[in-house]
PDB file of all heavy atoms in Angstrom:
ATOM      1  N   GLY R 199     129.429  46.657 166.274  1.00  0.00           N
ATOM      2  CA  GLY R 199     130.205  47.210 165.105  1.00  0.00           C
ATOM      3  C   GLY R 199     129.296  47.208 163.928  1.00  0.00           C
ATOM      4  O   GLY R 199     128.711  46.078 163.479  1.00  0.00           O
ATOM      5  N   THR R 200     128.905  48.290 163.339  1.00  0.00           N
ATOM      6  CA  THR R 200     127.918  48.445 162.382  1.00  0.00           C
ATOM      7  C   THR R 200     128.284  49.345 161.197  1.00  0.00           C
ATOM      8  O   THR R 200     129.030  50.280 161.305  1.00  0.00           O
ATOM      9  CB  THR R 200     126.574  49.002 162.968  1.00  0.00           C
ATOM     10  OG1 THR R 200     125.519  48.867 162.026  1.00  0.00           O
ATOM     11  CG2 THR R 200     126.706  50.410 163.459  1.00  0.00           C
ATOM     12  N   GLU R 201     127.840  48.906 160.113  1.00  0.00           N
ATOM     13  CA  GLU R 201     127.956  49.837 158.871  1.00  0.00           C
ATOM     14  C   GLU R 201     126.675  50.504 158.515  1.00  0.00           C
ATOM     15  O   GLU R 201     126.628  51.740 158.285  1.00  0.00           O
ATOM     16  CB  GLU R 201     128.387  49.059 157.642  1.00  0.00           C
ATOM     17  CG  GLU R 201     129.159  49.799 156.558  1.00  0.00           C
ATOM     18  CD  GLU R 201     130.415  50.409 157.005  1.00  0.00           C
ATOM     19  OE1 GLU R 201     131.382  49.693 157.278  1.00  0.00           O
ATOM     20  OE2 GLU R 201     130.516  51.704 156.943  1.00  0.00           O
ATOM     21  N   TYR R 202     125.594  49.733 158.613  1.00  0.00           N
ATOM     22  CA  TYR R 202     124.311  50.334 158.152  1.00  0.00           C
ATOM     23  C   TYR R 202     123.195  50.425 159.319  1.00  0.00           C
ATOM     24  O   TYR R 202     122.160  50.761 159.055  1.00  0.00           O
ATOM     25  CB  TYR R 202     123.751  49.474 157.055  1.00  0.00           C
ATOM     26  CG  TYR R 202     124.649  49.335 155.859  1.00  0.00           C
ATOM     27  CD1 TYR R 202     125.468  48.154 155.796  1.00  0.00           C
ATOM     28  CD2 TYR R 202     124.921  50.372 155.049  1.00  0.00           C
ATOM     29  CE1 TYR R 202     126.366  48.067 154.725  1.00  0.00           C
ATOM     30  CE2 TYR R 202     125.790  50.303 153.987  1.00  0.00           C
ATOM     31  CZ  TYR R 202     126.549  49.097 153.789  1.00  0.00           C
ATOM     32  OH  TYR R 202     127.473  49.034 152.816  1.00  0.00           O
ATOM     33  N   GLY R 203     123.686  50.176 160.533  1.00  0.00           N
ATOM     34  CA  GLY R 203     122.766  50.357 161.665  1.00  0.00           C
ATOM     35  C   GLY R 203     122.096  49.194 162.238  1.00  0.00           C
ATOM     36  O   GLY R 203     121.535  49.209 163.384  1.00  0.00           O
ATOM     37  N   PHE R 204     122.064  47.979 161.531  1.00  0.00           N
ATOM     38  CA  PHE R 204     121.323  46.809 162.075  1.00  0.00           C
ATOM     39  C   PHE R 204     121.963  46.316 163.300  1.00  0.00           C
ATOM     40  O   PHE R 204     121.291  45.923 164.210  1.00  0.00           O
ATOM     41  CB  PHE R 204     121.169  45.785 160.971  1.00  0.00           C
ATOM     42  CG  PHE R 204     120.418  44.585 161.355  1.00  0.00           C
ATOM     43  CD1 PHE R 204     119.095  44.798 161.785  1.00  0.00           C
ATOM     44  CD2 PHE R 204     120.814  43.255 161.405  1.00  0.00           C
ATOM     45  CE1 PHE R 204     118.336  43.667 162.297  1.00  0.00           C
ATOM     46  CE2 PHE R 204     120.177  42.246 161.760  1.00  0.00           C
ATOM     47  CZ  PHE R 204     118.815  42.425 162.187  1.00  0.00           C
ATOM     48  N   SER R 205     123.231  46.183 163.382  1.00  0.00           N
ATOM     49  CA  SER R 205     123.882  45.613 164.502  1.00  0.00           C
ATOM     50  C   SER R 205     123.701  46.447 165.739  1.00  0.00           C
ATOM     51  O   SER R 205     123.652  45.900 166.907  1.00  0.00           O
ATOM     52  CB  SER R 205     125.503  45.504 164.338  1.00  0.00           C
ATOM     53  OG  SER R 205     125.697  44.822 163.115  1.00  0.00           O
ATOM     54  N   ARG R 206     123.542  47.744 165.568  1.00  0.00           N
ATOM     55  CA  ARG R 206     123.185  48.619 166.728  1.00  0.00           C
ATOM     56  C   ARG R 206     121.762  48.295 167.347  1.00  0.00           C
ATOM     57  O   ARG R 206     121.625  48.100 168.392  1.00  0.00           O
ATOM     58  CB  ARG R 206     123.209  50.094 166.295  1.00  0.00           C
ATOM     59  CG  ARG R 206     122.815  51.028 167.425  1.00  0.00           C
ATOM     60  CD  ARG R 206     123.130  52.430 166.980  1.00  0.00           C
ATOM     61  NE  ARG R 206     122.839  53.427 167.966  1.00  0.00           N
ATOM     62  CZ  ARG R 206     121.548  53.956 168.139  1.00  0.00           C
ATOM     63  NH1 ARG R 206     120.649  53.798 167.296  1.00  0.00           N
ATOM     64  NH2 ARG R 206     121.420  54.859 169.150  1.00  0.00           N
ATOM     65  N   SER R 251     128.506  43.305 162.272  1.00  0.00           N
ATOM     66  CA  SER R 251     128.260  42.853 160.899  1.00  0.00           C
ATOM     67  C   SER R 251     129.576  42.776 159.985  1.00  0.00           C
ATOM     68  O   SER R 251     130.608  43.154 160.494  1.00  0.00           O
ATOM     69  CB  SER R 251     127.312  43.890 160.246  1.00  0.00           C
ATOM     70  OG  SER R 251     128.025  45.136 160.108  1.00  0.00           O
ATOM     71  N   THR R 252     129.432  42.222 158.901  1.00  0.00           N
ATOM     72  CA  THR R 252     130.542  42.197 157.905  1.00  0.00           C
ATOM     73  C   THR R 252     130.121  43.104 156.762  1.00  0.00           C
ATOM     74  O   THR R 252     128.987  43.118 156.334  1.00  0.00           O
ATOM     75  CB  THR R 252     130.683  40.705 157.363  1.00  0.00           C
ATOM     76  OG1 THR R 252     130.939  39.894 158.513  1.00  0.00           O
ATOM     77  CG2 THR R 252     131.852  40.590 156.382  1.00  0.00           C
ATOM     78  N   THR R 253     131.169  43.763 156.223  1.00  0.00           N
ATOM     79  CA  THR R 253     130.858  44.562 155.040  1.00  0.00           C
ATOM     80  C   THR R 253     131.894  44.424 154.004  1.00  0.00           C
ATOM     81  O   THR R 253     132.773  43.507 154.116  1.00  0.00           O
ATOM     82  CB  THR R 253     130.777  46.056 155.499  1.00  0.00           C
ATOM     83  OG1 THR R 253     130.258  46.875 154.424  1.00  0.00           O
ATOM     84  CG2 THR R 253     132.155  46.617 155.957  1.00  0.00           C
ATOM     85  N   GLY R 254     131.821  45.094 152.877  1.00  0.00           N
ATOM     86  CA  GLY R 254     132.828  44.971 151.772  1.00  0.00           C
ATOM     87  C   GLY R 254     132.908  43.547 151.362  1.00  0.00           C
ATOM     88  O   GLY R 254     131.910  42.791 151.340  1.00  0.00           O
ATOM     89  N   ASP R 255     134.091  43.054 151.017  1.00  0.00           N
ATOM     90  CA  ASP R 255     134.324  41.634 150.618  1.00  0.00           C
ATOM     91  C   ASP R 255     134.858  40.999 151.891  1.00  0.00           C
ATOM     92  O   ASP R 255     135.935  40.490 151.921  1.00  0.00           O
ATOM     93  CB  ASP R 255     135.332  41.545 149.528  1.00  0.00           C
ATOM     94  CG  ASP R 255     135.404  40.122 148.950  1.00  0.00           C
ATOM     95  OD1 ASP R 255     134.437  39.391 149.131  1.00  0.00           O
ATOM     96  OD2 ASP R 255     136.504  39.737 148.365  1.00  0.00           O
ATOM     97  N   GLY R 256     133.962  40.882 152.957  1.00  0.00           N
ATOM     98  CA  GLY R 256     134.316  40.219 154.130  1.00  0.00           C
ATOM     99  C   GLY R 256     135.179  40.942 155.147  1.00  0.00           C
ATOM    100  O   GLY R 256     136.043  40.363 155.817  1.00  0.00           O
ATOM    101  N   VAL R 257     134.919  42.236 155.279  1.00  0.00           N
ATOM    102  CA  VAL R 257     135.693  43.009 156.180  1.00  0.00           C
ATOM    103  C   VAL R 257     134.829  43.593 157.384  1.00  0.00           C
ATOM    104  O   VAL R 257     133.667  43.608 157.234  1.00  0.00           O
ATOM    105  CB  VAL R 257     136.487  44.158 155.493  1.00  0.00           C
ATOM    106  CG1 VAL R 257     137.511  43.638 154.566  1.00  0.00           C
ATOM    107  CG2 VAL R 257     135.538  45.144 154.826  1.00  0.00           C
ATOM    108  N   LEU R 288     126.873  39.115 162.261  1.00  0.00           N
ATOM    109  CA  LEU R 288     125.712  39.468 161.360  1.00  0.00           C
ATOM    110  C   LEU R 288     126.238  39.544 159.871  1.00  0.00           C
ATOM    111  O   LEU R 288     127.317  40.072 159.643  1.00  0.00           O
ATOM    112  CB  LEU R 288     125.046  40.815 161.725  1.00  0.00           C
ATOM    113  CG  LEU R 288     124.571  40.762 163.150  1.00  0.00           C
ATOM    114  CD1 LEU R 288     124.929  42.006 163.908  1.00  0.00           C
ATOM    115  CD2 LEU R 288     123.067  40.510 163.177  1.00  0.00           C
ATOM    116  N   GLY R 289     125.520  39.013 159.051  1.00  0.00           N
ATOM    117  CA  GLY R 289     125.938  38.994 157.610  1.00  0.00           C
ATOM    118  C   GLY R 289     124.790  38.641 156.654  1.00  0.00           C
ATOM    119  O   GLY R 289     123.660  38.693 156.907  1.00  0.00           O
ATOM    120  N   ASP R 290     125.274  38.134 155.499  1.00  0.00           N
ATOM    121  CA  ASP R 290     124.335  37.790 154.426  1.00  0.00           C
ATOM    122  C   ASP R 290     124.971  36.604 153.667  1.00  0.00           C
ATOM    123  O   ASP R 290     126.115  36.797 153.142  1.00  0.00           O
ATOM    124  CB  ASP R 290     124.171  39.033 153.568  1.00  0.00           C
ATOM    125  CG  ASP R 290     123.207  38.815 152.421  1.00  0.00           C
ATOM    126  OD1 ASP R 290     123.003  37.656 151.982  1.00  0.00           O
ATOM    127  OD2 ASP R 290     122.644  39.811 151.945  1.00  0.00           O
ATOM    128  N   ARG R 291     124.186  35.561 153.617  1.00  0.00           N
ATOM    129  CA  ARG R 291     124.839  34.282 152.944  1.00  0.00           C
ATOM    130  C   ARG R 291     125.054  34.561 151.462  1.00  0.00           C
ATOM    131  O   ARG R 291     125.848  33.805 150.739  1.00  0.00           O
ATOM    132  CB  ARG R 291     123.830  33.146 153.049  1.00  0.00           C
ATOM    133  CG  ARG R 291     124.031  32.497 154.370  1.00  0.00           C
ATOM    134  CD  ARG R 291     123.384  31.061 154.460  1.00  0.00           C
ATOM    135  NE  ARG R 291     123.344  30.720 155.900  1.00  0.00           N
ATOM    136  CZ  ARG R 291     124.371  30.331 156.601  1.00  0.00           C
ATOM    137  NH1 ARG R 291     125.488  30.081 156.050  1.00  0.00           N
ATOM    138  NH2 ARG R 291     124.134  29.987 157.862  1.00  0.00           N
ATOM    139  N   TYR R 293     126.910  36.740 150.202  1.00  0.00           N
ATOM    140  CA  TYR R 293     128.345  37.091 149.972  1.00  0.00           C
ATOM    141  C   TYR R 293     129.274  35.966 150.233  1.00  0.00           C
ATOM    142  O   TYR R 293     128.978  35.122 151.104  1.00  0.00           O
ATOM    143  CB  TYR R 293     128.644  38.299 150.987  1.00  0.00           C
ATOM    144  CG  TYR R 293     128.001  39.561 150.610  1.00  0.00           C
ATOM    145  CD1 TYR R 293     126.743  39.859 151.032  1.00  0.00           C
ATOM    146  CD2 TYR R 293     128.684  40.474 149.833  1.00  0.00           C
ATOM    147  CE1 TYR R 293     126.162  41.168 150.727  1.00  0.00           C
ATOM    148  CE2 TYR R 293     128.170  41.712 149.479  1.00  0.00           C
ATOM    149  CZ  TYR R 293     126.850  42.007 149.905  1.00  0.00           C
ATOM    150  OH  TYR R 293     126.303  43.181 149.499  1.00  0.00           O
ATOM    151  N   HIS R 295     132.155  35.767 151.763  1.00  0.00           N
ATOM    152  CA  HIS R 295     132.643  35.607 153.091  1.00  0.00           C
ATOM    153  C   HIS R 295     131.647  35.830 154.121  1.00  0.00           C
ATOM    154  O   HIS R 295     131.560  36.917 154.763  1.00  0.00           O
ATOM    155  CB  HIS R 295     133.901  36.512 153.315  1.00  0.00           C
ATOM    156  CG  HIS R 295     134.976  36.289 152.317  1.00  0.00           C
ATOM    157  ND1 HIS R 295     135.667  35.077 152.283  1.00  0.00           N
ATOM    158  CD2 HIS R 295     135.421  37.042 151.267  1.00  0.00           C
ATOM    159  CE1 HIS R 295     136.549  35.144 151.292  1.00  0.00           C
ATOM    160  NE2 HIS R 295     136.393  36.271 150.667  1.00  0.00           N
ATOM    161  N   PHE R 296     130.849  34.845 154.383  1.00  0.00           N
ATOM    162  CA  PHE R 296     129.648  34.999 155.334  1.00  0.00           C
ATOM    163  C   PHE R 296     130.061  35.265 156.720  1.00  0.00           C
ATOM    164  O   PHE R 296     130.940  34.459 157.260  1.00  0.00           O
ATOM    165  CB  PHE R 296     128.698  33.760 155.216  1.00  0.00           C
ATOM    166  CG  PHE R 296     127.603  33.786 156.089  1.00  0.00           C
ATOM    167  CD1 PHE R 296     126.722  34.877 156.087  1.00  0.00           C
ATOM    168  CD2 PHE R 296     127.285  32.771 157.005  1.00  0.00           C
ATOM    169  CE1 PHE R 296     125.565  34.907 156.909  1.00  0.00           C
ATOM    170  CE2 PHE R 296     126.218  32.771 157.829  1.00  0.00           C
ATOM    171  CZ  PHE R 296     125.378  33.817 157.771  1.00  0.00           C
ATOM    172  N   CYS R 297     129.732  36.332 157.321  1.00  0.00           N
ATOM    173  CA  CYS R 297     129.905  36.675 158.693  1.00  0.00           C
ATOM    174  C   CYS R 297     131.383  36.647 159.109  1.00  0.00           C
ATOM    175  O   CYS R 297     131.789  36.401 160.176  1.00  0.00           O
ATOM    176  CB  CYS R 297     129.212  35.677 159.617  1.00  0.00           C
ATOM    177  SG  CYS R 297     127.487  35.967 159.628  1.00  0.00           S
ATOM    178  N   ARG R 298     132.302  37.031 158.151  1.00  0.00           N
ATOM    179  CA  ARG R 298     133.721  36.911 158.370  1.00  0.00           C
ATOM    180  C   ARG R 298     134.232  37.820 159.463  1.00  0.00           C
ATOM    181  O   ARG R 298     135.083  37.437 160.234  1.00  0.00           O
ATOM    182  CB  ARG R 298     134.560  37.221 157.040  1.00  0.00           C
ATOM    183  CG  ARG R 298     135.939  36.977 157.195  1.00  0.00           C
ATOM    184  CD  ARG R 298     136.628  36.886 155.785  1.00  0.00           C
ATOM    185  NE  ARG R 298     138.069  36.866 155.910  1.00  0.00           N
ATOM    186  CZ  ARG R 298     138.804  38.023 155.783  1.00  0.00           C
ATOM    187  NH1 ARG R 298     138.223  39.119 155.616  1.00  0.00           N
ATOM    188  NH2 ARG R 298     140.079  37.919 155.941  1.00  0.00           N
ATOM    189  N   GLN R 324     121.159  37.959 157.056  1.00  0.00           N
ATOM    190  CA  GLN R 324     120.250  39.167 156.932  1.00  0.00           C
ATOM    191  C   GLN R 324     119.560  39.376 158.264  1.00  0.00           C
ATOM    192  O   GLN R 324     120.200  39.252 159.395  1.00  0.00           O
ATOM    193  CB  GLN R 324     119.346  38.976 155.789  1.00  0.00           C
ATOM    194  CG  GLN R 324     120.008  38.988 154.424  1.00  0.00           C
ATOM    195  CD  GLN R 324     119.036  38.692 153.346  1.00  0.00           C
ATOM    196  OE1 GLN R 324     117.863  38.802 153.435  1.00  0.00           O
ATOM    197  NE2 GLN R 324     119.682  38.432 152.158  1.00  0.00           N
ATOM    198  N   VAL R 765     132.726  44.016 145.772  1.00  0.00           N
ATOM    199  CA  VAL R 765     131.458  43.769 145.149  1.00  0.00           C
ATOM    200  C   VAL R 765     130.291  44.123 146.021  1.00  0.00           C
ATOM    201  O   VAL R 765     130.420  44.241 147.210  1.00  0.00           O
ATOM    202  CB  VAL R 765     131.399  42.295 144.685  1.00  0.00           C
ATOM    203  CG1 VAL R 765     132.532  41.951 143.664  1.00  0.00           C
ATOM    204  CG2 VAL R 765     131.542  41.338 145.920  1.00  0.00           C
ATOM    205  N   TRP R 766     129.133  44.305 145.427  1.00  0.00           N
ATOM    206  CA  TRP R 766     127.971  44.565 146.151  1.00  0.00           C
ATOM    207  C   TRP R 766     126.771  43.836 145.549  1.00  0.00           C
ATOM    208  O   TRP R 766     126.750  43.506 144.397  1.00  0.00           O
ATOM    209  CB  TRP R 766     127.641  46.075 146.098  1.00  0.00           C
ATOM    210  CG  TRP R 766     127.554  46.683 144.751  1.00  0.00           C
ATOM    211  CD1 TRP R 766     126.523  46.651 143.902  1.00  0.00           C
ATOM    212  CD2 TRP R 766     128.595  47.336 144.028  1.00  0.00           C
ATOM    213  NE1 TRP R 766     126.739  47.210 142.733  1.00  0.00           N
ATOM    214  CE2 TRP R 766     128.091  47.685 142.797  1.00  0.00           C
ATOM    215  CE3 TRP R 766     129.914  47.676 144.297  1.00  0.00           C
ATOM    216  CZ2 TRP R 766     128.827  48.372 141.798  1.00  0.00           C
ATOM    217  CZ3 TRP R 766     130.660  48.338 143.363  1.00  0.00           C
ATOM    218  CH2 TRP R 766     130.151  48.726 142.201  1.00  0.00           C
TER     219      TRP R 766
HETATM  220  C1  FMN Q 121     128.248  46.501 150.503  1.00  0.00           C
HETATM  221  C2  FMN Q 121     127.916  45.302 151.435  1.00  0.00           C
HETATM  222  C3  FMN Q 121     128.836  44.335 151.534  1.00  0.00           C
HETATM  223  C4  FMN Q 121     128.607  43.277 152.453  1.00  0.00           C
HETATM  224  N1  FMN Q 121     129.473  42.291 152.616  1.00  0.00           N
HETATM  225  C5  FMN Q 121     129.214  41.173 153.309  1.00  0.00           C
HETATM  226  C6  FMN Q 121     130.173  40.073 153.440  1.00  0.00           C
HETATM  227  O1  FMN Q 121     131.222  40.061 152.828  1.00  0.00           O
HETATM  228  N2  FMN Q 121     129.767  39.015 154.153  1.00  0.00           N
HETATM  229  C7  FMN Q 121     128.620  38.911 154.869  1.00  0.00           C
HETATM  230  O2  FMN Q 121     128.363  37.918 155.525  1.00  0.00           O
HETATM  231  N3  FMN Q 121     127.652  39.999 154.783  1.00  0.00           N
HETATM  232  C8  FMN Q 121     127.947  41.078 154.065  1.00  0.00           C
HETATM  233  N4  FMN Q 121     127.011  42.094 153.920  1.00  0.00           N
HETATM  234  C9  FMN Q 121     125.706  42.001 154.592  1.00  0.00           C
HETATM  235  C10 FMN Q 121     125.658  42.708 155.991  1.00  0.00           C
HETATM  236  O3  FMN Q 121     126.683  42.241 156.857  1.00  0.00           O
HETATM  237  C11 FMN Q 121     124.353  42.533 156.613  1.00  0.00           C
HETATM  238  O4  FMN Q 121     123.403  43.260 155.760  1.00  0.00           O
HETATM  239  C12 FMN Q 121     124.291  43.144 157.971  1.00  0.00           C
HETATM  240  O5  FMN Q 121     122.977  42.795 158.486  1.00  0.00           O
HETATM  241  C13 FMN Q 121     124.435  44.589 158.018  1.00  0.00           C
HETATM  242  O6  FMN Q 121     124.514  44.956 159.334  1.00  0.00           O
HETATM  243  P1  FMN Q 121     124.773  46.466 159.755  1.00  0.00           P
HETATM  244  O7  FMN Q 121     123.646  47.297 159.303  1.00  0.00           O
HETATM  245  O8  FMN Q 121     124.971  46.483 161.197  1.00  0.00           O
HETATM  246  O9  FMN Q 121     126.071  46.843 159.084  1.00  0.00           O
HETATM  247  C14 FMN Q 121     127.262  43.133 153.100  1.00  0.00           C
HETATM  248  C15 FMN Q 121     126.398  44.160 152.936  1.00  0.00           C
HETATM  249  C16 FMN Q 121     126.641  45.237 152.129  1.00  0.00           C
HETATM  250  C17 FMN Q 121     125.614  46.375 151.860  1.00  0.00           C
END
Side-chain angles (χ1 to χ4, degrees):
T200 187
E201 198 66 61
Y202 305 102
F204 183 56
S205 306
R206 178 172 182 265
S251 67
T252 299
T253 190
D255 189 24
V257 297
L288 300 135
D290 182 335
R291 280 198 194 279
Y293 286 89
H295 299 295
F296 178 53
C297 287
R298 185 162 172 266
Q324 295 177 9
V765 296
W766 56 83

